[in-house]
Amino acid sequence: MVNDSFFAGVPHDLRCEYYNDPVGIGCDSPRLSWKLPEGSQSSQTAWQIRIASTPEALEGNGAGSLFDERKTDGESLFIPWPVNPLKSGQRVYWKVRLWLDGGLQPTPWSRAASVETGLLKDAEWEGHWIGFKDSGVHGNAPAPYLRRGFSIPSEVVLARLYVSALGLAEFHINGSAVHPREVLLPGWTDFHHRVQSMAFDVTSLLKQGSNTLGAILGDGWYAGYLSCGGERNIFGKHTAILAQLEIQCADGNAVRIVSDGDWEGRTGPILSADLYNGETYDARLELPDWSAPLSSRGGWQPVSLCECPKGITIDSKVSEPVSKIQELHPKSISVPSPGVYIFDFGQNMVGWARLRIKGRTGQTVTLRFGEMLNPDGSIYTANLRTAKATDRYTFGGDGIAEWEPHFTYHGFRYVEITGLDEKPESDAVTGIVLHNDMRATGAFHCSNVLINQLESNIRWGLRGNFLEIPSDCPQRDERLGWSGDIQVFSKTAAYLYNVDAFLRKWMRDMRDGQTAEGAFPDIAPTFICGFGNAAWADAGVIVPWVVYRRYGDQRILQENYNAMVAWIDFQERTSENFARPETAYGDWLAIDAVIPEHAPVPSDLVGTAYFARTCGIMADVAGLLKKEDDRKRFLTLQKRVRLAFQRTFVTASGRIVGDCQTGYLLALAFDLLPTDLQEPALARLIALLENRAWHLSTGFVGTPLLCPVLTKYGRHDVAMKLLLQETYPSWLFPVKNGATTIWERWDSYTPDKGFGDVVMNSFNHYAYGAIGDWMVRAVAGLVPGSERPAYGHILFQPQLCEGLDSASAALETPYGKVSIQWQTEGKTMRGRLVVPPNSYADFAPKFEHWEVLEMGNKDAADAQNYTPIRLLPGSYEFIATDEPLEIFRQSKCKGGKFFLTDLTVSATVLNIETGVKR
Ligand code: BGC
């Protein structure tokens, strides 16, 4: 690093809380983050932040400066808001410049960024909740259209629309969609406690004179079908919207339009819309220009004023909204029987189908959705249980029509269309991929195509199930926020996408669902099922910890701390001598389980292991939050639980009750055994794997621990064997059988038995995809370091992976891009590393000898026998070997040149944006 250097780049990716230039955020003191100049190989030593109420004041012209200070501080993430808290609807501008590497000269100022708050207090909503007749009460009923005309006296300078809905809503102004990309708003929360609101900049949609604001209202999670039994109105009966339009005019006047008794409503072409069952649309009933000014008044009636259910607060949406993320085009069309056309997208996806099709007035086409095909070529829908997943479109006129639904979503690879006169063109259906609009951050690639397909399946598993909540599956009549599933998958998720805001919001749902006694729920938002079950409820401690470690976001620990402590207290109170009682689920869906929850490993063993694990995490959390007494208490408790585990479940020779893979995995993963019993336990685990010819027998609890434990205890060779195993049961078995997502069961489909138990057989269930985190850490060798969160400290630990010649991982961390790529030849590995600015790394390859060289620098650092070396931000090349030192030295020199100048690494360079190889 060169001191005092002037770097031409500027700080970039300025974020307020989680977003660039957010409008409508829900906190009055947003934290500020940025990245160091692109391509910079520096560390920050000081910052200067300027905040002002106008762009002019930010440039130092005129009044309105709110803050302008320099601070010696190396942190570039989550800087506390340095001035007075913001008021509702307040917009301010900010920029930052930095001092790097102890230099005297700052970088140039960043661009001007902005932040604007939403309505921060419930009392600031002036309007009334409005619905239409008994909207939401009955299933299979038409969706209401609501609207209100109004006049604006002069030119519009600025306009904001604040909205919320009990149900789902789509807003329109003057014939245009307010949020053409975002759908299923305002999303899903525990409506017994809260509903989300959003803000939109609608300045360009309004004009002087007559205007119309409208909304279409759907049932959604609030009132539609939900749960596994075909029930509806779980959270509420009457769907309604809340809207507040604030307009600033050029003449200084302000206009405020709110939802109230002045609105009118009617039904239209959406005859029914339900998340599970699909949407029915009759284009003959369309209301042309219904949200355009001065449109026809025929058929419109007064709206109904609704009471907001007691106890509900309105929270500004924390996570990114569900959006139309990608379009997929069919790969082929088949005709299994006359008039039945099946479009194959080649990818199990979640969203809906856009139809572009020719027909006659009154003709109805029916779309059904499935993940698989039956042997006769028809779509397999038996696994959807009561979810009808059927859309119907009736033509309003002759000719070509284009349509997509509003208030539903489906999980599918295949779309079946019936009701057409002739075979449709291949562009008749487009798959619209929907999920929360999180940033894609991580990618992984290696020399084995099946593993690369596995990585893609894991990624699509996340994409299909991060739709408002982390769901178990996206297709059948379930789609719920099962806590055990995200507990095991959260680390992998945090690698693939930036899930900071998404999981912080979901933890709010967990807290809303926590019992007064402290038990976290099985599902959040909560309405059915139980509480306090081992490995499920533990998500309440594990998920915030993962989010903190991956993003450096301490607030998630602070705001969940009491709830996390309450869960530990609950466990302590309801344990016997520090051993947990039996609870539901256990090692859910393990191979030898006769019914899903009866795995060979007892659930009290699972519970006790997790009790110890969560105490350990809580000791770290308490330490971090400077709660020393709590830290000591959790450490003591952890020791006691560990002893209880040994007393209750471990024999003197190291056998563990149940004598199955998962028991040994829990004991080894969570460090629950005395040192002298680790070796026998590992040996027994290996024997159990070998007895099955190197196949796993684990369920939801054991599977995520398998490869990490084997690698941690020095049996990376066995871990690789399991990863590369292609026969049942294994990760690659579904891949070999055409899977494009992760399956719920190891035998969701087998060529000899066909489809698995239809009672519960999802083909898009991310839980077993939890192996993704280990693939990045142990196969590629990119590990989040222990010294600082958010990859402020990185550990590069590549090792030989039998069966692979190359691997690479790239991740857009909160500090910038980190990557590793390597290839091997015999016992020698060559590779490249990138350490992001304002971060540092330890390079500790698992090799006898190695050397590393900063690119552009001629001095190499070398070491033997696993000694790590610290790397500052920059790009590096390395060579590492288990060959004897002499052979290594000889092979380093080629014609007198230093080996690294000749380095060619063919491991794929990864493009994080899309998660695909370049
Ligand atoms: C879900 C699982 C969930 C389980 C509880 C199932 O119905 O699909 O993923 O964790 O119930 O054990």
Side-chain angles (χ1 to χ4, degrees):
M1 298 307 110
V2 186
N3 276 357
D4 287 7
S5 67
F6 175 78
F7 194 83
V10 295
H12 70 115
D13 196 12
L14 272 64
R15 283 154 282 157
C16 234
E17 287 297 299
Y18 311 103
Y19 304 111
N20 308 126
D21 306 307
V23 170
I25 59 168
C27 73
D28 59 7
S29 301
R31 297 160 300 165
L32 305 177
S33 307
W34 54 82
K35 285 187 185 138
L36 270 59
E38 200 118 40
S40 117
Q41 300 189 347
S42 303
S43 294
Q44 173 188 311
T45 38
W47 50 250
Q48 183 177 2
I49 294 174
R50 199 178 270 179
I51 304 177
S53 51
T54 63
E56 296 74 34
L58 193 69
E59 298 312 319
N61 307 318
S65 172
L66 301 172
F67 181 82
D68 189 359
E69 272 175 33
R70 179 187 191 280
K71 189 173 172 196
T72 302
D73 180 8
E75 194 47 82
S76 50
L77 298 182
F78 298 112
I79 306 298
W81 185 245
V83 272
N84 289 337
L86 297 168
K87 296 193 199 53
S88 287
Q90 189 176 349
R91 181 177 182 77
V92 298
Y93 300 83
W94 68 287
K95 61 183 185 176
V96 63
R97 64 177 177 172
L98 311 173
W99 283 260
L100 303 177
D101 302 324
L104 298 176
Q105 186 129 16
T107 67
W109 284 102
S110 69
R111 72 171 181 92
S114 62
V115 53
E116 186 179 312
T117 48
L119 297 183
L120 300 173
K121 297 188 192 120
D122 286 6
E124 287 165 331
W125 290 86
E126 300 274 328
H128 216 289
W129 290 94
I130 55 170
F132 182 63
K133 298 199 166 156
D134 50 5
S135 57
V137 176
H138 308 288
N140 219 11
Y145 284 59
L146 312 171
R147 71 175 187 187
R148 184 206 197 282
F150 57 94
S151 167
I152 303 178
S154 75
E155 217 177 290
V156 176
V157 176
L158 189 96
R160 294 289 183 264
L161 176 63
Y162 303 100
V163 294
S164 184
L166 296 166
L168 298 174
E170 200 184 283
F171 291 87
H172 294 249
I173 288 180
N174 295 334
S176 296
V178 169
H179 46 89
R181 198 165 173 270
E182 294 97 354
V183 298
L184 305 179
L185 305 184
W188 190 7
T189 41
D190 186 336
F191 298 109
H192 297 127
H193 297 268
R194 68 198 69 250
V195 61
Q196 299 176 106
S197 67
M198 297 183 70
F200 296 100
D201 178 355
V202 293
T203 314
S204 63
L205 297 179
L206 294 162
K207 55 180 185 0
Q208 186 174 0
S210 301
N211 292 268
T212 299
L213 167 62
I216 315 175
L217 183 56
D219 293 345
W221 295 282
Y222 183 73
Y225 286 93
L226 211 56
S227 90
C228 320
E231 281 174 58
R232 56 192 313 283
N233 296 120
I234 300 279
F235 288 102
K237 262 198 165 161
H238 295 275
T239 53
I241 60 149
L242 184 63
Q244 185 156 330
L245 176 58
E246 304 276 0
I247 306 162
Q248 287 170 30
C249 299
D251 64 2
N253 277 319
V255 177
R256 172 180 294 154
I257 303 298
V258 298
S259 46
D260 57 17
D262 288 344
W263 287 52
E264 52 188 7
R266 60 167 297 165
T267 57
I270 304 175
L271 297 183
S272 67
D274 182 81
L275 292 171
Y276 289 174
N277 294 329
E279 190 158 315
T280 299
Y281 189 92
D282 189 338
R284 291 172 300 185
L285 303 174
E286 268 172 2
L287 308 168
D289 300 331
W290 68 276
S291 73
L294 306 173
S295 69
S296 135
R297 308 217 50 179
W300 292 84
Q301 295 167 7
V303 294
S304 34
L305 299 182
C306 316
E307 284 311 313
C308 181
K310 285 201 174 39
I312 284 201
T313 60
I314 305 168
D315 279 1
S316 292
K317 199 169 176 66
V318 173
S319 60
E320 303 83 351
V322 175
S323 304
K324 298 179 192 176
I325 304 288
Q326 192 184 348
E327 298 193 354
L328 295 187
H329 300 285
K331 298 263 186 271
S332 62
I333 309 177
S334 59
V335 190
S337 50
V340 177
Y341 304 102
I342 296 184
F343 290 72
D344 177 3
F345 284 91
Q347 174 62 54
N348 195 349
M349 57 161 279
V350 172
W352 59 49
R354 186 171 64 220
L355 204 55
R356 191 173 182 279
I357 216 151
K358 214 161 113 197
R360 294 166 279 107
T361 314
Q363 183 177 5
T364 298
V365 293
T366 302
L367 288 79
R368 295 196 312 139
F369 299 81
E371 298 183 286
M372 300 287 278
L373 293 181
N374 289 310
D376 65 1
S378 60
I379 57 166
Y380 170 73
T381 55
N383 66 334
L384 305 183
R385 301 196 304 219
T386 66
K388 295 196 180 69
T390 303
D391 294 343
R392 287 191 188 82
Y393 177 83
T394 302
F395 282 84
D398 293 349
I400 293 183
E402 224 179 277
W403 175 79
E404 53 188 280
H406 307 75
F407 302 125
T408 188
Y409 73 92
H410 313 294
F412 61 98
R413 169 174 167 169
Y414 301 95
V415 181
E416 176 206 82
I417 303 197
T418 51
L420 291 169
D421 295 336
E422 54 193 49
K423 186 172 178 188
E425 300 293 327
S426 63
D427 67 351
V429 182
T430 305
I432 310 292
V433 177
L434 305 178
H435 54 77
N436 288 66
D437 194 7
M438 308 153 295
R439 274 191 212 192
T441 49
F444 169 90
H445 195 78
C446 71
S447 53
N448 181 308
V449 286
L450 297 176
I451 307 265
N452 293 339
Q453 182 63 45
L454 173 66
E455 196 264 358
S456 169
N457 294 1
I458 296 170
R459 179 179 299 278
W460 277 96
L462 181 151
R463 300 186 69 186
N465 284 294
F466 272 49
L467 195 149
E468 265 310 284
I469 52 137
S471 61
D472 56 337
C473 57
Q475 72 296 78
R476 66 180 178 224
D477 57 352
E478 191 154 2
R479 315 183 191 185
L480 305 177
W482 281 99
S483 46
D485 303 38
I486 188 60
Q487 186 270 109
V488 298
F489 189 66
S490 51
K491 284 196 240 167
T492 302
Y495 180 76
L496 294 171
Y497 276 79
N498 186 327
V499 295
D500 188 359
F502 183 90
L503 290 179
R504 182 168 163 226
K505 178 266 170 190
W506 181 75
M507 276 307 302
R508 177 79 261 189
D509 299 332
M510 281 289 271
R511 296 203 300 284
D512 282 344
Q514 191 173 28
T515 65
E517 293 76 35
F520 279 116
D522 295 345
I523 59 164
T526 308
F527 60 94
I528 49 164
C529 296
F531 300 86
N533 287 306
W536 268 249
D538 295 298
V541 167
I542 291 168
V543 169
W545 181 241
V546 169
V547 170
Y548 164 72
R549 289 283 307 136
R550 296 305 175 92
Y551 304 106
D553 188 351
Q554 257 202 40
R555 188 171 287 177
I556 195 166
L557 299 178
Q558 288 154 350
E559 66 192 6
N560 287 292
Y561 189 75
N562 291 343
M564 293 155 92
V565 173
W567 167 232
I568 300 288
D569 293 346
F570 174 91
Q571 293 185 82
E572 190 177 1
R573 265 198 324 274
T574 54
S575 296
E576 217 184 296
N577 269 331
F578 303 101
R580 300 288 299 136
E582 287 186 4
T583 61
Y585 314 135
D587 191 18
W588 184 252
L589 290 177
I591 291 292
D592 296 331
V594 187
I595 54 169
E597 57 267 56
H598 285 179
V601 65
S603 63
D604 47 357
L605 184 155
V606 175
T608 309
Y610 266 93
F611 187 16
R613 171 76 186 124
T614 47
C615 286
I617 292 177
M618 286 308 290
D620 287 344
V621 174
L624 204 82
L625 300 183
K626 306 209 175 357
K627 296 173 190 288
E628 196 43 34
D629 290 349
D630 284 6
R631 194 182 71 84
K632 285 189 194 137
R633 180 196 150 206
F634 295 133
L635 282 179
T636 310
L637 194 52
Q638 185 190 26
K639 277 189 200 130
R640 291 185 173 144
V641 179
R642 196 169 173 268
L643 289 176
F645 183 90
Q646 294 169 8
R647 215 172 38 236
T648 321
F649 304 109
V650 187
T651 70
S653 63
R655 284 291 167 100
I656 293 176
V657 172
D659 195 31
C660 63
Q661 295 172 16
T662 296
Y664 294 98
L665 288 166
L666 285 163
L668 290 165
F670 298 165
D671 192 17
L672 302 176
L673 300 174
T675 323
D676 61 327
L677 291 187
Q678 285 177 2
E679 200 55 58
L682 179 68
R684 184 62 191 155
L685 170 64
I686 305 280
L688 289 171
L689 289 163
E690 193 173 7
N691 290 347
R692 290 175 187 256
W694 306 113
H695 287 90
L696 52 80
S697 65
T698 48
F700 275 32
V701 169
T703 303
L705 307 176
L706 253 175
C707 291
V709 161
L710 291 165
T711 301
K712 177 175 162 191
Y713 288 89
R715 293 309 304 269
H716 191 58
D717 57 326
V718 178
M720 284 306 298
K721 232 190 257 277
L722 295 181
L723 174 68
L724 295 169
Q725 180 61 262
E726 294 180 12
T727 52
Y728 171 83
S730 66
W731 284 278
L732 293 188
F733 174 73
V735 173
K736 289 283 278 186
N737 283 283
T740 58
T741 36
I742 301 292
W743 295 350
E744 179 170 22
R745 296 170 179 269
W746 297 116
D747 62 351
S748 280
Y749 173 84
T750 60
D752 43 333
K753 292 197 198 123
F755 292 113
D757 186 354
V758 75
V759 171
M760 223 178 53
N761 197 24
S762 151
F763 287 88
N764 196 354
H765 229 80
Y766 56 53
Y768 290 151
I771 191 173
D773 182 61
W774 170 84
M775 283 158 53
V776 175
R777 286 168 180 259
V779 176
L782 170 54
V783 187
S786 56
E787 294 173 14
R788 278 172 83 208
Y791 295 85
H793 172 225
I794 296 152
L795 176 63
F796 289 116
Q797 196 155 54
Q799 57 194 314
L800 288 173
C801 295
E802 221 179 308
L804 298 184
D805 303 328
S806 67
S808 54
L811 174 69
E812 186 63 41
T813 75
Y815 291 104
K817 181 172 169 175
V818 56
S819 67
I820 179 169
Q821 51 187 122
W822 57 253
Q823 68 181 67
T824 53
E825 226 182 278
K827 289 180 177 171
T828 301
M829 174 180 281
R830 290 159 183 260
R832 290 211 171 109
L833 311 166
V834 173
V835 182
N838 223 20
S839 167
Y840 59 84
D842 285 324
F843 180 58
K846 290 189 177 173
F847 286 90
E848 292 285 325
H849 317 287
W850 54 263
E851 291 196 3
V852 65
L853 176 77
E854 187 174 0
M855 283 161 88
N857 191 338
K858 53 184 181 353
D859 301 321
D862 62 344
Q864 286 179 35
N865 300 330
Y866 315 107
T867 327
I869 185 177
R870 185 139 289 189
L871 305 176
L872 295 174
S875 303
Y876 300 86
E877 296 180 333
F878 70 89
I879 185 164
T881 189
D882 282 340
E883 298 282 9
L885 194 55
E886 267 321 295
I887 299 181
F888 176 51
R889 287 213 170 112
Q890 282 161 21
S891 70
K892 279 191 334 184
C893 298
K894 285 188 184 166
K897 277 201 276 169
F898 188 68
F899 76 98
L900 285 163
T901 55
D902 291 339
L903 181 71
T904 49
V905 176
S906 65
T908 311
V909 181
L910 295 162
N911 175 5
I912 293 168
E913 273 311 305
T914 53
V916 296
K917 59 185 168 155
R918 257 190 266 154

